[in-house]
Amino acid sequence: MIVRSLVRGSGSALPVRAVSNDELAALVDTTDAWITERTGIRNRYLAGEGETTASLAILAAQRALEAAGMEGASIDLIVLATTTPDQTFPATATIVQNAIGCRGGIAFDVAAVCSGFLYALATADAMLRTGGARRALVIGAETMSRLLDWEDRGTCVLFGDGAGAVVLEAGEVDETDPASPGIIASRLHADGAYNQLLYVDGGPSTTGTVGKLRMKGREVFRHAVVNLAAVLEEVLHAAGISPGDIDWVVPHQANLRILEATARKLGLAPEKLVVTVDRHANTSAASVPLAFDVAVRDGRIKPGDLVVFEAMGGGFTWGASLVRL
Ligand code: UT7
């Protein structure tokens, strides 16, 4: 028997205000046709007054706890991935901890931009497997709209706000049984040589301002397909699994063309992709847990399914995790 991190529940949250491509086209020099054809995005949710990364994270966490049938007080680890914290410090994870009635455990944020949830998941998994904690909330939450330059049509149409969360619990499983649940393998990477292809042009230690998101989209696109296919292959190889064994791929939702190209490169059937980019746009660290929760709640992802998560983002950072539910 070995200890694995078992997924006990998931939850997600979106801001109240949905914004269509046509609504954006009234503000920015763009069209619904361009956005839909180039990205697959049709809609995004944008945070309004009073809606913050923490408020969305708290809602997602509460829904995940409810799905798991657990009390907030029983959580002893919160790892929250965000690139848009409510404040530079304290960590947004501590705001969530306080709101869910949990005290004295571990709570911290992880910054790996769009790959943040994969980094947070692998970190929490390592701590659970080595006895550092028993029950974890892993959250991806973002208000990317607060970093957007609304005069840059090449970026402002691509992003949205939201949050997703999963509850993990350490449990003993029989590692010789391929049907045993839990996080089976994770792989993470970063290559800072590319950190000027997708970045924010400000920060507390440089300009003293929050800054705006800047991206060389075409170059990011090219690297995304190569890196994602490579890390997916790596995680499948580590677990001795072939693409045909996978029930669902829950990818980072940046661009429908990236999702489809990556699946094609690996020989993964397109109907196994969970796609929410049309509804949510790119919600950075929130996109994987948000898409996962959508597919769990609409009944596509079921207990026993073999699911792979993948993401790539600023840094560059990228990663993948293989999970049996
Ligand atoms: O989440 C982190 C990872 N991020 C990503 O994975 C994003 C990766 N990149 C992409 O998804 C795509 O590169 C974009 C969607 C950002 C852009 O698509 P593209 O096919 O690479 O277009 P492009 O940037 O090469 O621009 C093509 C044309 C340009 O016009 P010209 O120079 O050909 O006349 C742009 O000015 O499209 C123009 N354009 C737009 N037109 C209408 C750029 N943005 C817009 C827009 N509306 N919103």
Side-chain angles (χ1 to χ4, degrees):
M1 301 290 272
I2 52 162
V3 175
R4 270 196 195 155
S5 306
L6 311 175
V7 177
R8 296 299 200 197
S10 67
S12 59
L14 291 162
V16 171
R17 183 173 165 232
V19 179
S20 69
N21 291 346
D22 282 333
E23 278 175 79
L24 275 191
L27 307 170
V28 187
D29 180 18
T30 190
T31 60
D32 172 48
W34 190 94
I35 303 171
T36 309
E37 279 161 28
R38 300 284 179 130
T39 71
I41 297 166
R42 294 175 184 276
N43 183 75
R44 75 281 296 137
Y45 291 82
L46 300 181
E49 210 181 317
E51 289 177 317
T52 69
T53 294
S55 75
L56 295 167
I58 290 164
L59 268 178
Q62 287 167 338
R63 288 171 182 159
L65 286 167
E66 197 185 320
M70 291 175 186
E71 296 292 325
S74 71
I75 296 294
D76 56 5
L77 170 65
I78 302 175
V79 189
L80 186 147
T82 191
T83 195
T84 48
D86 279 30
Q87 295 155 268
T88 303
F89 78 83
T92 305
T94 63
I95 306 175
V96 176
Q97 190 202 35
N98 186 42
I100 63 167
C102 163
R103 298 185 74 179
I106 305 163
F108 60 96
D109 289 359
V110 160
V113 206
C114 298
S115 316
F117 181 75
L118 274 299
Y119 270 68
L121 191 72
T123 304
D125 175 41
M127 293 179 78
L128 291 180
R129 279 188 290 108
T130 51
R134 292 282 310 162
R135 273 187 184 177
L137 257 173
V138 183
I139 306 169
E142 300 277 18
T143 42
M144 293 304 281
S145 62
R146 308 246 152 94
L147 291 180
L148 296 175
D149 174 354
W150 292 99
E151 308 211 321
D152 176 10
R153 67 176 183 174
T155 55
C156 72
V157 303
L158 305 174
F159 293 88
D161 303 330
V166 297
V167 177
L168 300 179
E169 186 171 40
E172 284 206 337
V173 299
D174 177 1
E175 78 274 29
T176 61
D177 180 356
S180 288
I183 299 179
I184 299 165
S186 297
R187 290 293 181 273
L188 301 174
H189 294 284
D191 189 347
Y194 297 106
N195 66 24
Q196 294 305 302
L197 294 183
L198 175 49
Y199 65 101
V200 164
D201 62 4
S205 166
T206 50
T207 60
T209 61
V210 170
K212 296 291 177 206
L213 184 147
R214 307 290 171 207
M215 177 166 71
K216 295 203 168 52
R218 193 170 279 191
E219 289 171 67
V220 176
F221 189 111
R222 199 162 44 81
H223 283 93
V225 177
V226 174
N227 290 344
L228 289 170
V231 75
L232 279 167
E233 259 175 6
E234 208 184 325
V235 85
L236 295 184
H237 181 76
I241 278 166
S242 66
D245 299 326
I246 300 288
D247 293 305
W248 294 103
V249 184
V250 184
H252 172 50
Q253 311 281 323
N255 185 321
L256 185 59
R257 291 188 293 142
I258 296 179
L259 271 59
E260 290 175 346
T262 309
R264 248 195 326 272
K265 213 166 175 336
L266 277 182
L268 285 159
E271 60 274 14
K272 291 185 173 180
L273 284 175
V274 174
V275 178
T276 53
V277 67
D278 53 334
R279 291 186 255 172
H280 302 154
N282 181 346
T283 58
S284 184
S287 91
V288 168
L290 190 48
F292 174 69
D293 187 53
V294 165
V296 167
R297 284 174 194 265
D298 70 20
R300 274 179 290 171
I301 298 182
K302 293 183 282 301
D305 281 355
L306 189 59
V307 178
V308 68
F309 299 130
E310 48 102 317
M312 136 112 190
F316 289 147
T317 54
W318 64 103
S321 279
L322 188 69
V323 185
R324 172 83 66 187
L325 291 188

